Amino acid sequence: MELLELMRTRRSIRKYDGRPVEEEKLARVLEAGRLAPSARNMQEWKFVVVRGSRLEALTKACNGQQMVQEAGAAIAVCATENHMMGCGQPSATVDCSIALSFMLLEAEELGLGMCWLGSFMAPAVKEALDLPEDWTVVAVSPLGYPAESPDARPRKPLGELVVTLTD
Ligand SMILES: Cc1cc2nc3c(=O)[nH]c(=O)nc-3n(C[C@H](O)[C@H](O)[C@H](O)COP(=O)(O)O)c2cc1C
């Protein structure tokens, strides 16, 4: 699908039918994350794929958002390092967010669903997944086959967003 059209049709998916995601499709989603740009190209990230019994604890750590368990798989995007960029923004958050954005789009292309989760208790996620203390959990997302086709959420018109500066 043409990229802009894919971006138009992508939705956050919160209901899943539980069908397992094929290894090849999972690999493609992860590959999309691998290809993402990062500050100084440091790629200081880990994509933690969660399946099986740990999903229950991960769901609890995500404040009980059942979609995590229902999807049958989840990805926790973690930063292994963090530095403040010259612009004052933390590289960990920015880099991992780009990686997950790429994954969301590839999942859509493959007919899979994801939903960016920012509502989670980071210490509980780390405990559920046995992650090293110095990693930062930036985002979590379920990954699976959608069992819903949500309507588009509204977006502000460009006129409200774009500031054009000319001489
Ligand atoms: C940083 C971030 C955090 C989010 N956290 C959650 C969350 O914890 N739970 C949830 O159901 N959706 C979460 N979302 C999904 C947003 O609600 C969703 O992207 C937004 O409503 C637009 O809908 P769409 O993705 O279908 O276009 C999050 C999205 C972002 C980008």
Side-chain angles (χ1 to χ4, degrees):
M1 197 188 296
E2 198 250 327
L3 185 56
L4 198 56
E5 191 53 26
L6 190 86
M7 290 172 171
R8 275 204 189 93
T9 52
R10 185 210 55 82
R11 304 280 182 270
S12 292
I13 299 299
R14 298 182 176 85
K15 290 190 191 318
Y16 294 86
D17 69 10
R19 265 186 298 152
V21 173
E22 298 84 344
E23 290 300 325
E24 313 81 65
K25 289 191 175 181
L26 172 64
R28 285 186 61 132
V29 170
L30 297 169
E31 174 69 359
R34 189 182 76 86
L35 294 173
S38 59
R40 292 192 270 154
N41 198 28
M42 294 298 283
Q43 306 161 64
E44 291 159 336
W45 48 36
K46 296 282 184 189
F47 310 142
V48 182
V49 178
V50 188
R51 289 191 278 205
S53 59
R54 281 182 199 267
L55 285 172
E56 193 179 334
L58 183 60
T59 299
K60 285 193 187 122
C62 293
N63 298 315
Q65 299 188 82
Q66 288 303 315
M67 62 181 112
V68 174
Q69 227 164 333
E70 280 173 19
I75 299 176
V77 182
C78 305
T80 53
E81 297 284 343
N82 187 26
H83 65 269
M84 218 40 96
M85 294 184 285
C87 61
Q89 301 292 326
S91 63
T93 314
V94 174
D95 290 350
C96 290
S97 295
I98 299 169
L100 183 54
S101 299
F102 275 38
M103 288 192 245
L104 255 54
L105 292 173
E106 180 58 19
E108 175 70 23
E109 173 77 2
L110 296 170
L112 297 169
M114 296 184 81
C115 182
W116 193 304
L117 301 185
S119 173
F120 59 82
M121 298 171 287
V125 171
K126 277 192 192 175
E127 196 182 325
L129 307 184
D130 270 330
L131 302 180
E133 195 48 48
D134 60 342
W135 289 14
T136 305
V137 186
V138 173
V140 176
S141 173
L143 175 70
Y145 280 95
E148 62 169 356
S149 308
D151 291 336
R153 302 292 311 278
R155 294 294 194 266
K156 295 177 182 177
L158 269 186
E160 274 184 42
L161 309 177
V162 178
V163 179
T164 305
L165 306 175
T166 49
D167 287 334

